[in-house]
Amino acid sequence: MSLKSLPELLTLEQLIEDGGDLLKASVACTVAADSQQFPVYLLTMGSSDPAAPALGFFGGIHGLERIGTQVLLSFLQSLVARSRWDHGLHHLLQSVRLVFMPLVNPGGMWQATRCNPQGVDLMRNSPVQASERVPFLLGGQRATPMLPWYRGAFGAPMEAESRAVCEVVERELLPRQFSLSLDCHSGFGLRDRIWFPHAHTRTPIAHLPEIAALEELFTASYPHHNYTFEPQSLQYRTHGDLWDHLYLRFERGGARSGEAEGHDRVFLPLTLEMGSWLWVKKNPRQLFSRLGAFNPTAAHRLQRVLRSHLVWFEFLMRAANAHARWLPDAPARLHQRKRALARWYGLGAAA
């Protein structure tokens, strides 16, 4: 590749070099686009103890949403720089495992498309079928890759990039007593949102009380934050959501069966959906650019976005490390569930 071909990938490879012993890098899969081969990198750092809590960061699943990859690269740059002097960070990493896949869809980013080079929308690519009505096209379709939100052919295996994400999550996150994931996207609404499953149904996830407790903890710690927490199904439902697929696999694997040291395991998959409509509102000319609807184009606005999510990322690291101190016990789970059902699903205490 030329030096100007895919700057996010070049930045990531430079970070791997700069990180030295801090980062362990491997290639989760390789994808082809326009006669070139692109690696999908997996980076890990922190504790190697399989009993340690883990936090996974994912970005670049949609090639048009470069800002998702860029915010994770900015965070990684901060971690690498701080590792040279920050004893507190080193102490934290002794207890927590961090997993990064900052650029899941390099072929789509190279071609400036939402989908991967095969025309498949990776966030519609899992076998999960919505149990409720989904929006036309937006909810996922199998008719043709010539239309957006193509899921892939019926019965076809998942795309290499989707499989790589699933394999990493199933190996690095799901077996642990406690794990979190954050998938970084852009393109919806005027506010930044933290979405959680489900996307295929309005039915709440089993770990709704833990989601509610995490939101309550963040709001108490940072009362002036600008995020809207909500289930994705509150906005729209889709077929094939990757995180629904992984959460359902987690549930089937005994999440609440008491397998892990006599306690329930917890996996909380979250999505950061950055509100790109605000960027367009401030600069309507962005709509005339393919990338403009999904990414801040003004330099000062880009800098603001790159730094604005660092508090949230840091909070997730510390919350994962201290999960035993805030996860609700049985009575608190009942309270949190009632609160969450009333807030996000419009259901009263009887539900």
Side-chain angles (χ1 to χ4, degrees):
M1 292 185 297
S2 70
L3 290 178
K4 296 183 180 179
S5 61
L6 195 51
E8 289 83 359
L9 182 56
L10 297 177
T11 299
L12 177 55
E13 292 177 334
Q14 185 62 56
L15 272 168
I16 292 171
E17 182 177 341
D18 293 344
D21 294 338
L22 178 72
L23 295 174
K24 291 181 174 59
S26 60
V27 175
C29 69
T30 302
V31 296
D34 300 333
S35 301
Q36 298 198 66
Q37 298 291 319
F38 295 91
V40 176
Y41 283 109
L42 164 66
L43 282 64
T44 60
M45 68 173 72
S47 175
S48 58
D49 184 351
L55 170 59
F57 291 96
F58 302 82
I61 287 181
H62 291 141
L64 284 176
E65 300 170 21
R66 306 179 84 119
I67 189 62
T69 293
Q70 290 167 359
V71 295
L72 291 183
L73 294 177
S74 176
F75 182 45
L76 272 166
Q77 287 172 328
S78 172
L79 292 176
V80 169
R82 287 167 53 200
S83 70
R84 303 186 181 108
W85 60 269
D86 189 343
H87 293 294
L89 176 61
H90 281 278
H91 181 72
L92 181 63
L93 291 177
Q94 290 175 4
S95 305
V96 176
R97 183 166 181 81
L98 301 184
V99 177
F100 289 87
M101 292 183 75
L103 183 43
V104 172
N105 184 11
M109 194 171 290
W110 163 264
Q111 295 177 335
T113 63
R114 174 184 172 92
C115 58
N116 76 346
Q118 283 66 51
V120 176
D121 186 328
L122 300 178
M123 282 307 298
R124 305 290 187 274
N125 187 220
S126 88
V128 173
Q129 190 73 12
S131 57
E132 300 163 18
R133 187 173 182 177
V134 303
F136 178 64
L137 293 184
L138 174 64
Q141 52 86 19
R142 293 197 186 276
T144 172
M146 302 301 293
L147 293 173
W149 301 294
Y150 179 58
R151 299 181 61 190
F154 182 80
M158 293 171 66
E159 296 296 301
E161 302 94 330
S162 303
R163 292 198 308 271
V165 170
C166 291
E167 289 167 3
V168 167
V169 171
E170 289 169 352
R171 182 177 69 249
E172 293 283 352
L173 302 184
L174 299 194
R176 296 174 184 268
Q177 184 78 27
F178 180 89
S179 61
L180 278 162
S181 67
L182 184 71
D183 183 17
C184 298
H185 288 260
S186 67
F188 183 88
L190 292 168
R191 288 185 61 121
D192 296 333
R193 285 172 158 79
I194 306 299
W195 278 346
F196 54 87
H198 294 117
H200 73 288
T201 176
R202 294 183 181 90
T203 302
I205 64 171
H207 287 92
L208 183 65
E210 286 75 17
I211 293 283
L214 181 69
E215 182 275 335
E216 185 177 62
L217 182 70
F218 182 64
T219 299
S221 303
Y222 302 96
H224 304 296
H225 73 79
N226 193 43
Y227 297 106
T228 296
F229 286 74
E230 62 187 11
Q232 184 181 332
S233 62
L234 191 65
Q235 297 298 335
Y236 58 89
R237 285 159 297 287
T238 72
H239 300 297
D241 184 86
L242 273 185
W243 298 106
D244 277 18
H245 172 65
L246 286 162
Y247 184 78
L248 292 173
R249 294 197 69 160
F250 173 68
E251 280 196 302
R252 288 194 295 269
R256 305 196 60 78
S257 66
E259 291 177 353
E261 300 180 7
H263 300 284
D264 295 336
R265 289 185 292 121
V266 175
F267 168 54
L268 305 179
L270 307 173
T271 296
L272 167 60
E273 186 73 25
M274 288 173 272
S276 66
W277 298 0
L278 181 62
W279 309 329
V280 173
K281 180 181 178 181
K282 292 183 176 180
N283 183 15
R285 288 177 296 178
Q286 289 187 206
L287 284 176
F288 295 97
S289 162
R290 179 182 291 188
L291 296 174
F294 301 95
N295 305 278
T297 57
H300 71 280
R301 197 160 292 129
L302 174 61
Q303 290 178 344
R304 185 181 303 124
V305 173
L306 293 180
R307 67 175 179 264
S308 64
H309 301 292
L310 294 179
V311 168
W312 170 239
F313 295 166
E314 289 278 345
F315 167 80
L316 288 178
M317 286 199 302
R318 298 182 182 280
N321 184 46
H323 65 276
R325 303 193 64 177
W326 60 267
L327 283 178
D329 58 15
R333 287 192 90 249
L334 181 61
H335 165 73
Q336 290 288 6
R337 179 174 172 79
K338 289 180 177 179
R339 187 176 71 85
L341 288 173
R343 175 178 178 182
W344 289 316
Y345 299 90
L347 299 176

